[in-house]
Amino acid sequence: MATLLLRLQGPMQSWGTTSRFDERDTQLEPSKSGVLGLVCAALGRDRAEPVDDLAALRMGVRVDREGALMRDYQTATGVVVAATGKPDLERTVVSPRFYLADAVFLVGLEGDDTALLARIHAALRAPVWPLALGRKSFVPSSPIHLPDGLVDLPLEEALQRYQAPDMPRPPGPLRLVLETREPGHEGAVRLDQPMAPFSQRRFGPRFVTTHLTGALDAPDPVAA
């Protein structure tokens, strides 16, 4: 079992999973759909192509720096057409947008297909399309590709052990959010598991548990 590690760091990130209408949310850590979308951009995989191989990877996140939850908004003004077919009035829509400021995450993707992980690792070093942290305008401030990020370790151990040479690890325990597939241990629900090509926008439930580093056998029920 191998794990590929990615570093997601930038002034702004947004990882929405439950956005409705004009409001755009964000989770407090990267979503699986968002991370796999980033991987598809690196590979040059079109939105209409299948992502079954990527969706089968198990994902975990180590929160190296909790982001500050921020809110801004965008406006759009359009003309409302009356029943007569003539322009009637102008209407301005306000769209709230939530994002994380100054967050740093270490993301792990675990799988048996080492060749697939190696292709992703190479693609992150030389991506086909630009990479972003949840929105096109949210660019990373540090490389997502980690030269030593492909490790022959299970997900939990890889996230626990890794320390980037150019960024000291924060002191104390860190929060781990781990995808769980153990029967009878479902955890919290995330609606970010791709069920079809991204062009179809179909996502199913995924279960995660939250732990502190050094305490993987004792999940934190409040944080989860």
Side-chain angles (χ1 to χ4, degrees):
M1 190 70 70
T3 299
L4 175 62
L5 299 171
L6 302 71
R7 176 172 54 190
L8 303 184
Q9 177 178 1
M12 295 182 287
Q13 305 186 35
S14 184
W15 306 102
T17 60
T18 59
S19 297
R20 293 293 183 271
F21 304 106
D22 299 316
E23 183 169 311
R24 297 292 183 264
D25 74 310
T26 184
Q27 292 184 171
L28 298 180
E29 61 277 330
S31 63
K32 188 172 184 180
S33 54
V35 170
L36 295 187
L38 182 153
V39 168
C40 284
L43 293 169
R45 190 176 296 192
D46 188 83
R47 288 175 55 83
E49 294 184 52
V51 292
D52 298 18
D53 55 342
L54 303 180
L57 299 172
R58 179 172 172 243
M59 191 178 100
V61 179
R62 189 182 83 191
V63 183
D64 283 0
R65 186 162 65 221
E66 300 276 1
L69 183 62
M70 308 292 286
R71 177 183 180 273
D72 65 6
Y73 67 93
Q74 296 180 8
T75 60
T77 302
V79 176
V80 178
V81 178
T84 60
K86 297 181 179 180
D88 187 11
L89 53 86
E90 286 191 349
R91 177 173 175 263
T92 298
V93 175
V94 178
S95 176
R97 306 290 174 106
F98 293 87
Y99 62 92
L100 299 173
D102 203 29
V104 182
F105 304 105
L106 182 70
V107 172
L109 297 172
E110 177 194 71
D112 293 320
D113 190 344
T114 307
L116 172 62
L117 294 177
R119 288 199 302 274
I120 298 171
H121 191 222
L124 291 171
R125 180 167 50 85
V128 176
W129 297 321
L131 306 182
L133 304 178
R135 295 184 198 162
K136 289 183 180 180
S137 58
F138 290 178
V139 297
S141 59
S142 296
I144 292 174
H145 173 268
L146 296 169
D148 55 349
L150 183 55
V151 295
D152 189 20
L153 292 171
L155 179 64
E156 296 88 344
E157 190 175 351
L159 290 172
Q160 292 249 36
R161 287 188 178 188
Y162 187 80
Q163 180 172 335
D166 59 344
M167 184 175 180
R169 177 171 169 162
L174 302 174
R175 187 162 61 91
L176 296 179
V177 182
L178 303 171
E179 182 175 334
T180 178
R181 298 174 180 176
E182 299 176 11
H185 193 184
E186 293 183 340
V189 178
R190 297 284 192 272
L191 297 175
D192 60 358
Q193 175 69 25
M195 305 297 290
F198 280 110
S199 60
Q200 298 184 26
R201 302 185 63 82
R202 289 173 51 202
F203 304 101
R206 181 174 66 98
F207 300 98
V208 302
T209 56
T210 300
H211 313 255
L212 296 180
T213 52
L216 285 177
D217 57 343
D220 181 351
V222 176

